[in-house]
Amino acid sequence: MEAYTHDVLIVGGGGAGLRAAIAIGEENPGLSVGVLSKVYPMRSHTVSAEGGAAAVIKPNDKIEYHIKDTVTGGDWMGDQDAIEYFVNEAPREMLQLEHWGCPWNRDPDGSVAVRTFGGMTVDRTWFAADKTGFHLLHSLFQTALKYNNLVRYDEWFATRLLIEDGRCQGVAAIELLSGQVRPVLARAVILCTGGGGRIFPFTTNAAIKTGDGMSLAYHAGVALKDMEFVQYHPTGLPFTGILITEAARAEGGVLVNKDGYRYLQDYDLGTPLDYRDPNSGHPKNKNMELGPRDRLSQAFMKEFDRGRTIPGRHGHVVHLDVRHLGEEKIMKKIPFVRELAKNYAGVDPVHEPISVRPVVHYMMGGIDTNRFAATSVPGLYAAGECACVSINGANRLGSNSLTELLVFGAMAGRQAAQFAQDHELRGKESLIRQAEDEQRRITQQYLTKDGGTESIAGLKAELNSTMEAGAGIYRTEATMRTTCEEVQKLKERYRNIQLGDRTHSFNTDLVAALELGSLLDVAETVAQSALQRQESRGAHQRTDFPKRDDEKFLQHSLAYQTDGEPRVDYRPVVITNWPPAERVYGR
């Protein structure tokens, strides 16, 4: 079996992966870098981010304010040493991105424009209209092209980490064109594979976000940390789950219920004020619609319980109204919102409100790393949404995620480069044999097996249904126990799936089957971690334990793979200068 060898291998070609590749090129352009991605890099999910990226830049803002907003927004579940590093590095990364060509919007005086985002007490979200992720990813991709030491493996699917001599030294991956498993070896490996929101039925996540990197690390013995914290975004389109960015509310959009009432004023997110400021067109109160995402999603559910939401073809909704902004402002600041609403909801927001509902958006949890992006397995690093460093705690603030890709993608690249310089590749023959074993496993389990009775689509639909029922916005012990049991049953049934396609080249049935395996791994860690956290904090809301419990649960959950349900251990949260306090908005 032919092996490909590099000094550093990056799995995932989105924002974090490309930033890591650039960082290695900056650090040591003599190192060989492989970037392996199951899609062409410009199709990575980073491209779909709309609203912006946070960093301190304006004279009225301070590093301390951004740190405090992030700590508070995460309900004190974030490690404060990592948050401090992140916030201090953010402005440098954002300015660097501008030098690489990212077209940030400008104020009339030529300075970088910023907008308000939920949970931020100061306007600090840099933006490129409402296609920030698109421009960010283009800038990174174009910059990465100048490094001759970078080799891309587009449309390759990593299925196993290769561990030898106690170190991660590559991956076994399917070359989708040929259908053959190949060993791609490296002295250090960085996972930048995104989240796993596709365990839920209504999500803003692209179809490719199936938790593959999380599953790889999980099977290699690395803990998945804080997986119970899953963020719902309050404004997704029903049925499709397509995101209507927070930028729509930052520019003055408001949420109203079936009575046309601005209901968020009832949920301690702001005071009952007029629709808009008569001069600027903005809401008069910076909270309410711009409260943190977990609180807004929870408010929707309470409106539903009170019978004040709007029944629709795809479930209950509320209305996001931006009509008062006027066509000129909508086309200048949020043109993509108009495009999405017209194309996918049949609504022109210049003239009609948009029907929205909460949809799964982001996983605060992920592969357990320290603040240097290193996992517990030497030579293995992770960054981006697949990782939990942890800066987002129990609830990520909007616009922190794109900046996190840059800050910790760069950190992972530098750390992996140093590790690669200090360590030689060992046990190449054994690594190749592991890849050969993986080829046999895939062939026997999927491509030549007969008599299977389970379909990929059927199991995935059942997984989505049980996760929504038991691990959604509000949770109880009874519903979560049912979900845990159902996920384990689905994992058993998964062994009996039958593929309709036995061919090798671009076998989408095989890819879907492998992705379903990853989803099941992610789902069991979410459900089991949620069951064992007996408190309410951020995005994890237990109706049977409605209070936050710092005495018992100011700790990260760590889910480890076993032969049955995952084992969940705990580790204290790092507190530096911001001791736990009441999380208050709108007072």
Side-chain angles (χ1 to χ4, degrees):
M1 179 177 281
E2 181 184 5
Y4 301 87
T5 303
H6 299 280
D7 294 308
V8 180
L9 175 66
I10 301 166
V11 183
L18 291 175
R19 183 62 188 96
I22 294 167
I24 297 168
E26 294 171 320
E27 193 81 5
N28 188 339
L31 292 177
S32 171
V33 180
V35 178
L36 186 148
S37 175
K38 70 177 179 180
V39 296
Y40 184 71
M42 285 308 303
R43 293 180 64 84
S44 301
H45 189 62
T46 306
V47 81
S48 67
E50 298 170 31
V56 173
I57 189 66
K58 293 297 187 181
N60 65 324
D61 200 2
K62 294 182 179 179
I63 293 293
E64 291 76 14
Y65 296 167
H66 192 182
I67 294 171
K68 187 175 181 181
D69 286 348
T70 302
V71 170
T72 304
D75 221 345
W76 279 269
M77 186 52 55
D79 285 335
Q80 293 177 18
D81 57 344
I83 292 171
E84 289 179 44
Y85 174 78
F86 162 71
V87 170
N88 276 280
E89 285 295 305
R92 283 188 284 272
E93 283 293 328
M94 299 289 282
L95 287 170
Q96 178 63 74
L97 196 66
E98 178 179 59
H99 296 161
W100 290 335
C102 190
W104 301 120
N105 272 51
R106 298 286 174 177
D107 283 333
D109 65 0
S111 63
V112 171
V114 293
R115 58 169 47 129
T116 309
F117 249 59
M120 299 283 191
T121 56
V122 178
D123 294 3
R124 67 169 65 92
T125 298
W126 307 36
F127 61 99
D130 55 355
K131 293 186 178 181
T132 307
F134 174 88
H135 292 295
L136 182 148
L137 193 62
H138 269 268
S139 300
L140 290 173
F141 185 63
Q142 291 166 172
T143 302
L145 292 176
K146 75 179 184 179
Y147 292 101
N148 295 325
N149 62 327
L150 193 154
V151 178
R152 296 210 321 268
Y153 298 84
D154 296 343
E155 298 178 322
W156 286 55
F157 192 119
T159 64
R160 177 178 174 178
L161 295 178
L162 302 180
I163 309 293
E164 182 67 23
D165 195 30
R167 293 164 38 203
C168 182
Q169 299 190 71
V171 304
I174 302 173
E175 180 189 31
L176 296 181
L177 174 62
S178 67
Q180 299 301 307
V181 172
R182 311 285 191 196
V184 186
L185 310 182
R187 302 177 186 185
V189 174
I190 308 173
L191 297 175
C192 302
T193 53
R198 282 283 161 173
I199 61 176
F200 290 92
F202 298 103
T203 176
T204 65
N205 286 196
I208 60 173
K209 291 190 71 176
T210 50
D212 308 322
M214 295 179 187
S215 178
L216 289 173
Y218 187 53
H219 283 273
V222 180
L224 297 186
K225 181 167 64 182
D226 292 343
M227 293 298 287
E228 62 269 40
F229 299 114
V230 178
Q231 182 176 86
Y232 278 73
H233 195 291
T235 55
L237 293 179
F239 181 60
T240 63
I242 289 171
L243 175 68
I244 298 299
T245 173
E246 202 158 303
R249 288 171 279 129
E251 297 301 335
V254 295
L255 291 168
V256 297
N257 63 17
K258 70 175 187 178
D259 302 315
Y261 175 65
R262 196 176 170 194
Y263 61 89
L264 289 172
Q265 62 190 276
D266 296 346
Y267 295 97
D268 200 25
L269 290 165
T271 52
L273 297 168
D274 294 339
Y275 230 45
R276 55 176 170 157
D277 183 285
N279 297 315
S280 69
H282 284 261
K284 287 185 178 179
N285 192 284
K286 290 184 67 173
N287 294 312
M288 295 181 71
E289 280 80 8
L290 290 172
R293 291 170 176 175
D294 58 337
R295 295 284 178 86
L296 266 64
S297 297
Q298 292 154 24
F300 173 91
M301 295 303 297
K302 291 175 181 176
E303 286 293 290
F304 173 79
D305 291 341
R306 293 174 178 179
R308 304 200 306 195
T309 52
I310 306 161
R313 181 181 174 189
H314 302 294
H316 281 247
V317 300
V318 290
H319 280 155
L320 172 62
D321 196 346
V322 297
R323 291 175 292 179
H324 53 283
L325 302 182
E327 184 172 6
E328 181 180 352
K329 184 170 185 176
I330 288 171
M331 291 308 297
K332 180 179 180 181
K333 294 293 185 70
I334 49 171
F336 196 43
V337 166
R338 188 183 190 189
E339 181 181 335
L340 290 172
K342 290 174 73 173
N343 290 344
Y344 294 97
V347 169
D348 185 346
V350 171
H351 306 293
E352 304 167 82
I354 308 168
S355 294
V356 295
R357 57 155 290 167
V359 291
V360 166
H361 182 58
Y362 188 89
M363 305 192 82
M364 275 71 75
I367 301 164
D368 177 30
T369 75
N370 61 21
R371 77 176 195 86
F372 301 104
T375 74
S376 58
V377 173
L380 180 63
Y381 301 83
E385 191 180 351
C386 75
C388 182
V389 59
S390 146
I391 66 163
N392 297 310
N395 171 65
R396 177 177 68 77
L397 292 189
S399 73
N400 266 353
S401 62
L402 288 181
T403 319
E404 180 185 0
L405 296 178
L406 301 171
V407 171
F408 289 101
M411 170 64 82
R414 290 192 290 266
Q415 293 293 315
Q418 186 60 56
F419 189 93
Q421 290 175 76
D422 296 341
H423 296 81
E424 294 294 329
L425 196 67
R426 293 178 181 270
K428 183 175 180 180
E429 294 78 9
S430 177
L431 295 167
I432 293 174
R433 284 196 297 272
Q434 291 180 44
E436 290 171 343
D437 289 342
E438 184 67 358
Q439 176 78 80
R440 282 190 289 272
R441 180 189 75 85
I442 290 171
T443 300
Q444 293 168 8
Q445 186 173 342
Y446 302 106
L447 295 176
T448 60
K449 187 179 73 174
D450 290 314
T453 58
E454 300 288 352
S455 74
I456 299 167
L459 291 183
K460 186 173 184 294
E462 290 188 49
L463 175 64
N464 287 164
S465 178
T466 192
M467 291 302 294
E468 183 80 358
I473 295 174
Y474 283 100
R475 302 163 173 179
T476 68
E477 181 174 353
T479 58
M480 284 188 298
R481 283 197 183 280
T482 299
T483 292
C484 288
E485 292 167 3
E486 288 300 316
V487 171
Q488 291 305 309
K489 291 176 185 176
L490 290 170
K491 291 195 77 171
E492 287 295 319
R493 291 168 56 192
Y494 173 72
R495 299 177 182 178
N496 201 32
I497 62 171
Q498 184 70 55
L499 268 60
D501 185 357
R502 306 292 187 89
T503 61
H504 290 279
S505 183
F506 288 107
N507 186 331
T508 55
D509 255 14
L510 176 59
V511 170
L514 294 166
E515 289 176 331
L516 178 57
S518 298
L519 289 170
L520 288 164
D521 288 335
V522 171
E524 73 171 2
T525 64
V526 170
Q528 194 62 231
S529 299
L531 176 63
Q532 297 195 32
R533 183 174 289 276
Q534 297 179 338
E535 66 161 354
S536 289
R537 186 188 298 267
H540 174 69
Q541 293 293 308
R542 293 280 299 261
T543 57
D544 47 351
F545 293 95
K547 301 294 184 181
R548 195 179 83 190
D549 186 349
D550 290 337
E551 184 177 343
K552 291 183 180 179
F553 288 106
L554 190 60
Q555 300 190 77
H556 299 296
S557 64
L558 299 166
Y560 292 91
Q561 187 196 29
T562 71
D563 291 336
E565 293 183 330
R567 182 184 88 250
V568 180
D569 295 338
Y570 290 93
R571 178 196 302 149
V573 172
V574 176
I575 304 294
T576 57
N577 299 310
W578 290 269
E582 185 182 3
R583 186 177 174 225
V584 176
Y585 295 93
R587 294 183 189 171

